[in-house]
Amino acid sequence: MAPRLDSHARKRAILDAALPLFARKGFAATTTKEIAQAAGVSEALIFKHFPSKASLYESIFLCCIDGDPEYERLVALPPSTGTLVQMIQGMVNYFVIELPADPDERARHRLSIISLLEDGEFMRQVFEGIRSRFLPCFAASIEAATAAGDRLPGPVDAENGFWLAEHLCEMMATVCLSGGAIVPYPCGRPDLARQTIWFILRGLGLRDTAIAAHEGGGRFPFVPSQPPPEPPANDAAKPAHGAAKPMNGSARNDDPTPERPE
């Protein structure tokens, strides 16, 4: 006789059963009866754990955040330049490296695309959930990086900067959903992730020297590279426009990726 699942395990089993159904059929066309059959439970038990089909739908997205020890660690960090870098590194690592390699994560991401093709209401709820969880720490770290002299104030406010970074990473994941060679990136995934981190952090206003210092501390996906040189002392208060970009001359990574057929 199969062991009886506790409440947490049963809830997880329902989410695991619902994900492929929603990803294949969309929210409107998937019934709770189908979900119950796939999970091997009654519809009544589904509604015991989830008040509505919409709450079940939302939980599928947010379960990868809630209870994740890495998320708990990040939002518990004190606001700082280092915390900002780690948050961007975590975002990029998930969308650019982890999601394309994990069939379950691709199914969850496919579900987000389907939601946007419907009325978008449920992704609105998901984005609000993401906002409430991450934005306070992100915005405080933007302020801390500016106060420390690691970031140059610019026209992009913290909240828009957060969403622009998230949208870029989401689109980079979206082009991997087919598993085929959609975008001919001229490098492997670790180097692509590293360049994406640089791109976002520069867009947020971080100085090249600050980014390079954290890269040198091992926070970025490992790719042999040469960080940009320190700017001249008399230019310390200016943007390091002349600094050598770290992606130039980086060793080519030959790991296969969905975008570059071997």
Side-chain angles (χ1 to χ4, degrees):
M1 183 176 179
R4 184 179 180 85
L5 298 179
D6 62 24
S7 178
H8 177 77
R10 180 65 71 191
K11 186 174 181 179
R12 181 76 241 188
I14 293 170
L15 291 172
D16 289 343
L19 173 58
L21 289 171
F22 279 135
R24 186 171 67 251
K25 302 180 65 176
F27 175 80
T30 301
T31 66
T32 52
K33 181 178 181 180
E34 290 174 312
I35 296 170
Q37 290 175 341
V41 301
S42 67
E43 285 187 84
L45 187 59
I46 289 180
F47 288 115
K48 177 181 178 181
H49 291 288
F50 304 97
S52 66
K53 189 171 73 166
S55 68
L56 170 59
Y57 193 72
E58 183 181 9
S59 294
I60 287 175
F61 290 97
L62 298 180
C63 69
C64 62
I65 298 175
D66 295 333
D68 181 358
E70 177 62 10
Y71 157 72
E72 299 290 347
R73 184 189 71 83
L74 280 175
V75 297
L77 292 172
S80 67
T81 304
T83 298
L84 177 63
V85 171
Q86 288 190 58
M87 292 187 78
I88 295 301
Q89 193 273 343
M91 180 187 293
V92 171
N93 190 64
Y94 171 70
F95 283 111
V96 178
I97 293 180
E98 295 175 6
L99 191 157
D102 188 329
D104 287 341
E105 292 301 323
R106 290 202 304 272
R108 183 180 286 108
H109 190 62
R110 187 174 289 107
L111 180 53
S112 72
I113 303 303
I114 292 174
S115 170
L116 293 174
L117 292 173
E118 295 178 337
D119 64 8
E121 173 61 19
F122 299 101
M123 277 308 294
R124 186 195 64 76
Q125 295 180 29
V126 169
F127 285 139
E128 184 56 41
I130 292 171
R131 180 183 183 276
S132 66
R133 287 161 173 78
F134 285 104
L135 185 61
C137 181
F138 182 87
S141 292
I142 286 281
E143 291 184 9
T146 305
D150 292 331
R151 175 182 176 269
L152 294 166
V156 180
D157 62 39
E159 183 162 0
N160 280 338
F162 175 81
W163 289 122
L164 290 170
E166 196 274 346
H167 296 340
L168 169 63
C169 292
E170 281 225 28
M171 190 62 206
M172 293 177 75
T174 300
V175 298
C176 296
L177 289 181
S178 70
I182 305 300
V183 179
Y185 292 121
C187 60
R189 289 240 148 232
D191 200 6
L192 178 63
R194 176 177 169 272
Q195 292 183 38
T196 304
I197 293 168
W198 270 88
F199 185 87
I200 292 172
L201 291 176
R202 278 180 161 178
L204 292 172
L206 260 65
R207 298 178 184 275
D208 279 8
T209 49
I211 302 172
H214 287 279
E215 179 176 31
R219 298 200 189 283
F220 289 20
F222 176 73
V223 177
S225 63
Q226 293 296 323
E230 292 285 339
N234 60 351
D235 287 339
K238 299 178 181 179
H241 294 304
K245 295 181 181 180
M247 57 286 291
N248 291 343
S250 295
R252 184 184 181 93
N253 184 288
D254 290 322
D255 293 337
T257 75
E259 288 74 24
R260 195 182 76 231
E262 300 301 308

